[in-house]
Amino acid sequence: MTDTIHAASSPVPQFAELIGKLTLEEKVHLLTGETAFTLPGNESIGLAPLAFSDGPTGVRGLKFVGGDPVALFPNATLISGAWDDDVAEQVGTMLAKEAQRQHINVVLGPTINLHRTPLGGRLFEAYSEDPYLTGRAASSYVRGMQDQGVSACLKHLVANESETLRNFMDSRVSQDALREVYLLPFEMAAEDSHVWSMMCAYNDINGVAASENDQVQNRIVKGEWEWDGLVMSDWFATKRTVASANGGLDLVMPGPDGPWGERLVAAVRTGEVSEDTVDDHLARLLLLAQRTGALGAASGAEDRAAQMPAPDSDVRKRQLREIAVRGMTVVKNDGALPLGDGPVALIGRHATQTVNMGGGSAQVNPPYQVSIAEGMRDVLGERVTVLDGPGIRTRAVPASPAFTSDPASGTPGMEVALFAADGQELTRYHSDSPAISIGWDDDLAQTPTTAVLRAVLGNDAGPVTVGAVGGGRWRVEVAGHEISADLTFEGTDPGETMLRPPAFSEVLELPSHAELTATLALDPIDWREKLLGDPALGLAEESHLLDMSAMGLTAIVAAPAPRPDEGVIEDAARAAREAGTAVVVVGLSEEQETEAADKTTLALPGEQDELVRRVAAAAERTVVVVNAATPVLMPWLADMNAVVVVGLPGQEGGHAVAAALTGELEPTGRLVTTYPAADGQAPAWDVTPGEDLGLDYADDVFVGYRGYHAGRAAEPLFWFGHGLGYGSWEYGDATVSGSRDAALSVAVDVTSTGGRDSRETVQVYFQPAETDQPIRLVGFQGA
């Protein structure tokens, strides 16, 4: 019955001759990755290897850590925050060119899960709480990318709106909400832009693993939508062999090991999986290869790659700055913005260490990152005084690449040496970064058991924070000091070995330019024993998740020791009083906005709220810049003159924020997520599954602003769609034309009443007559 349902969408007839040349073993071999981010080719049918890359905020390439420099884009909420299809399409085109420069066939993005609860850790990768706005942005992004011959990959199919226990939790969602809300962005991109690939999620949907979900993958996506693209697994997400092959999954990633291979061949031999099903999976892969130039005639990829702009080129800088500003949102302004003449006190840890990207697989290795302090100094010169703010992190993080150098070469980064159990040196090399991955990307004859990392620190004499990141037994030696720690993994997500590894640090008194040696005795966790030993998790013996333990992030921690918060706040208030105008930059970090973890509160971390209050009490005018992609609480809002949300603005972040604050460019964004007034005041809040691993989507179709409007939560701080810009507008009467049986159109005269060029976003909402149906966005247009 499954084959009948999606037969209309199957590309098997198109590739029957090529498929017929292959044995069953050869077919199955092509359906699992060859390496972490590549697929095998087959010369006999003219199939070249394919290359995949993570891509939500930049095309990172084939290495998870330590790859070549690539452009760091503004995060997804800044792209959708422009409420402009052209911006999303431009981003898709630019990312395609970044992919072509690196010979990448498939970019793993966009992320189009919804901002169901503001606690979701990975929301910064996703566009919005609204399915229509998300679908519009995704469709435009896909069109821009695939017009260049690079495949987009929608993720994560489906109902993956939180990270807690993401590999095991069950999203329990009604059929109405599943189809009308959570699948709608996927459907829009499939129908409007004919996206070429999708990625399944880690979670279950109504009791069935996403990688095995016949209803979603076969019956709806391939059947009802008649979609001919390819569904791939998320990395290590495939849980069972037969169920995934029959449930609509076409490709298992990564490789070369996994739950298909010999197991799938055996399942076909025993009749548990039809060879026709395998042929359908392979045909979809061949169609993807054909569309991206990897099947048949030479693609000319080398010529195209040579023509692509460098990630630090002038054209990229301009594009990235303008895109970031278009999505920044002024949520309050009594005339303090744009900034006028006179001195400015720029204050906050986020001003000096601006967070330009979130954590997890969205991270890239950019050629540079501009802080807000650097951007403001470039524009205001001596008019601006920069002061630090209180700490924002509780966990130690890898050193900045600029703070460490290789003792042998003197170039930024560190020296790495890996040793086998018998003491044999396996490799010694220079890393451009003080962070590396061990195990996943290594091409070594033996598995290393010891790593030695050496670097010269860029410190002045005095207190320095030093330590290390990564699981195992550490010994750090520097300038006669020795510190050690045994770091273990506490959670149930093998991804934490890369995404949230344990860390330790201490503050030591060091001479300038101290040389540090960190020795790690690797102690790989036995995830198989740990996860299979917990029957509540329900993990299959052949689950690909169990293969994930081979990878791990390892890094040096080194940074100037921070001053006590109270003294920092006192200095900030004094500077604000002297300057008259204070710009306080607050926000979140990769601890809160990251893959593999959710937030527990929307409050700003550390003493940032106290900093804002004290500065506002001292200054004549206070502007708050929120360096975060998702909602934060603002208990000080009433006392501020202006507040602007700048998201995670990418490598040009500091220049973009400076342009927005001074009015060189107008921040014309509108919010893509409703901001609650307090913790817990949202239609959906909890991200923690119950004891049975179930998470009920009790808000049903009333997600986000729909639920607030229906009275399911207290009045929010800021509504979805809110934004001021620097202009003013007058609306005339709206007229509706068309009929109930045809498309309706709405027209309204909008007149600019401000004294400068500006941009307004006209938003159209529909309120059904049925009392059990929510209001919903049905259209928007920039003016």
Side-chain angles (χ1 to χ4, degrees), residues 301-321:
E302 291 291 343
D303 292 338
R304 287 198 304 271
Q307 299 168 9
M308 299 306 155
D312 57 353
S313 63
D314 289 342
V315 63
R316 278 286 179 265
K317 292 177 180 179
R318 175 184 57 78
Q319 291 169 326
L320 295 174
R321 185 179 66 146

Side-chain angles (χ1 to χ4, degrees), residues 116 172-174 182 683-684 695-702 712:
R116 175 178 175 261
R172 296 173 179 170
V173 54
S174 74
Y182 298 101
L695 182 65
D696 292 330
Y697 278 41
D699 50 328
D700 200 48
V701 295
F702 289 85
R712 296 187 171 206

Side-chain angles (χ1 to χ4, degrees), residues 121-134:
R122 208 169 180 178
L123 302 188
F124 72 94
E125 281 188 45
Y127 288 127
S128 170
E129 70 185 18
D130 181 73
Y132 175 75
L133 176 60
T134 297

Side-chain angles (χ1 to χ4, degrees), residues 340-694:
D341 297 333
V344 173
L346 178 66
I347 298 164
R349 182 65 53 86
H350 285 81
T352 59
Q353 299 177 24
T354 306
V355 179
N356 289 312
M357 60 179 165
S361 59
Q363 291 185 317
V364 301
N365 178 27
Y368 63 89
Q369 295 186 63
V370 181
S371 71
I372 295 174
E374 292 170 318
M376 292 289 280
R377 283 188 178 117
D378 286 347
V379 174
L380 300 183
E382 295 182 357
R383 286 175 50 201
V384 64
T385 301
V386 178
L387 293 98
D388 194 13
I392 59 173
R393 292 180 175 88
T394 59
R395 300 172 64 245
V397 297
S400 163
F403 197 74
T404 62
S405 59
D406 186 323
S409 66
T411 54
M414 65 179 176
E415 180 190 77
V416 180
L418 301 180
F419 299 86
D422 61 3
Q424 176 188 353
E425 183 175 306
L426 301 176
T427 184
R428 184 180 296 267
Y429 64 94
H430 167 76
S431 170
D432 293 334
S433 167
I436 59 171
S437 62
I438 294 179
W440 196 11
D441 299 322
D442 296 334
D443 183 18
L444 301 174
Q446 299 182 55
T447 301
T449 61
T450 303
V452 178
L453 317 178
R454 295 177 62 237
V456 175
L457 308 184
N459 66 296
D460 295 327
V464 181
T465 300
V466 297
V469 176
R473 297 182 299 281
W474 283 99
R475 184 178 75 253
V476 176
E477 300 167 282
V478 54
H481 299 276
E482 180 178 312
I483 59 176
S484 60
D486 189 354
L487 302 183
T488 60
F489 301 96
E490 302 297 333
T492 57
D493 185 347
E496 74 176 279
T497 59
M498 285 294 290
L499 304 173
R500 290 180 63 80
F504 82 107
S505 65
E506 292 186 23
V507 175
L508 302 175
E509 286 287 335
L510 300 181
S512 64
H513 297 90
E515 183 169 332
L516 178 147
T517 299
T519 302
L520 169 63
L522 293 163
D523 187 17
I525 184 172
D526 189 341
W527 287 102
R528 174 172 293 276
E529 179 181 352
K530 181 173 184 177
L531 298 181
L532 291 178
D534 187 346
L537 300 180
L539 197 62
E541 179 74 31
E542 70 265 37
S543 173
H544 204 12
L545 187 68
L546 299 171
D547 301 327
M548 206 170 181
S549 58
M551 52 192 251
L553 180 69
T554 305
I556 289 172
V557 171
R563 295 173 53 210
D565 286 348
E566 179 58 31
V568 169
I569 293 174
E570 287 180 359
D571 289 350
R574 185 180 307 110
R577 184 178 300 107
E578 293 172 355
T581 297
V583 175
V584 188
V585 190
V586 299
L588 305 176
S589 75
E590 71 287 338
E591 288 187 11
Q592 294 83 32
E593 298 196 285
T594 185
E595 182 178 355
D598 292 313
K599 297 187 282 288
T600 58
T601 177
L602 302 185
L604 292 170
E607 296 298 317
Q608 293 184 92
D609 285 333
E610 180 64 16
L611 172 71
V612 174
R613 293 188 186 97
R614 298 265 288 273
V615 167
E620 297 176 20
R621 292 168 300 280
T622 304
V623 174
V624 175
V625 174
V626 181
N627 180 198
T630 50
V632 299
L633 303 182
M634 302 182 188
W636 30 256
L637 178 65
D639 297 325
M640 299 305 113
N641 299 99
V643 178
V644 57
V645 178
V646 302
L648 307 175
Q651 68 188 43
E652 278 290 300
H655 289 150
V657 172
L661 295 181
T662 60
E664 177 192 348
L665 297 173
E666 182 184 20
T668 55
R670 301 295 183 263
L671 292 182
V672 297
T673 308
T674 303
Y675 276 49
D679 275 347
Q681 295 184 0
W685 183 255
D686 196 14
V687 292
T688 303
E691 291 184 3
D692 62 353
L693 299 178

Side-chain angles (χ1 to χ4, degrees), residues 16-223:
E17 182 177 351
L18 294 181
I19 293 173
K21 295 180 179 180
L22 302 176
T23 66
L24 174 61
E25 287 80 3
E26 288 173 324
K27 295 174 187 178
V28 170
H29 174 68
L30 295 175
L31 298 177
T32 298
E34 186 168 49
T35 68
F37 291 105
T38 63
L39 302 185
N42 187 299
E43 291 184 3
S44 71
I45 60 172
L47 175 64
L50 279 80
F52 296 177
S53 171
D54 279 315
T57 52
V59 183
R60 185 176 61 237
L62 300 182
K63 287 190 174 182
F64 198 97
V65 175
D68 293 335
V70 300
L72 170 60
F73 282 63
N75 82 289
T77 61
L78 288 176
I79 296 165
S80 58
W83 289 61
D84 188 334
D85 297 340
D86 290 341
V87 169
E89 185 168 347
Q90 180 189 8
V91 169
T93 300
M94 293 168 61
L95 285 169
K97 294 183 184 301
E98 287 283 305
Q100 289 171 333
R101 185 171 54 79
Q102 302 175 76
H103 308 293
I104 298 296
N105 302 92
V106 181
V107 174
L108 305 176
T111 301
I112 58 172
N113 302 115
L114 301 185
H115 296 194
R116 175 178 175 261
T117 160
L119 291 181
R122 208 169 180 178
L123 302 188
F124 72 94
E125 281 188 45
Y127 288 127
S128 170
E129 70 185 18
D130 181 73
Y132 175 75
L133 176 60
T134 297
R136 282 268 296 261
S139 297
S140 298
Y141 171 110
V142 169
R143 185 163 47 250
M145 178 169 287
Q146 295 187 171
D147 281 352
Q148 306 299 313
V150 175
S151 176
C153 180
L154 305 179
K155 61 185 191 181
H156 308 86
L157 188 70
V158 63
N160 174 202
E161 276 68 42
S162 56
E163 295 293 286
T164 304
L165 289 169
R166 62 177 180 164
N167 300 297
F168 315 103
M169 59 90 66
D170 180 19
S171 297
R172 296 173 179 170
V173 54
S174 74
Q175 289 300 304
D176 285 347
L178 180 65
R179 290 174 175 271
E180 297 173 16
V181 178
Y182 298 101
L183 279 172
L184 180 59
F186 292 88
E187 183 178 12
M188 290 175 67
E191 294 190 357
D192 296 346
S193 298
H194 204 78
V195 67
W196 295 341
S197 65
M198 299 184 190
M199 179 189 293
C200 76
Y202 285 113
N203 53 279
D204 294 356
I205 305 115
N206 294 326
V208 180
S211 60
E212 307 169 1
N213 205 293
D214 176 76
Q215 182 205 11
V216 171
Q217 295 175 155
N218 282 330
R219 298 175 183 274
I220 296 177
V221 176
K222 296 178 180 179

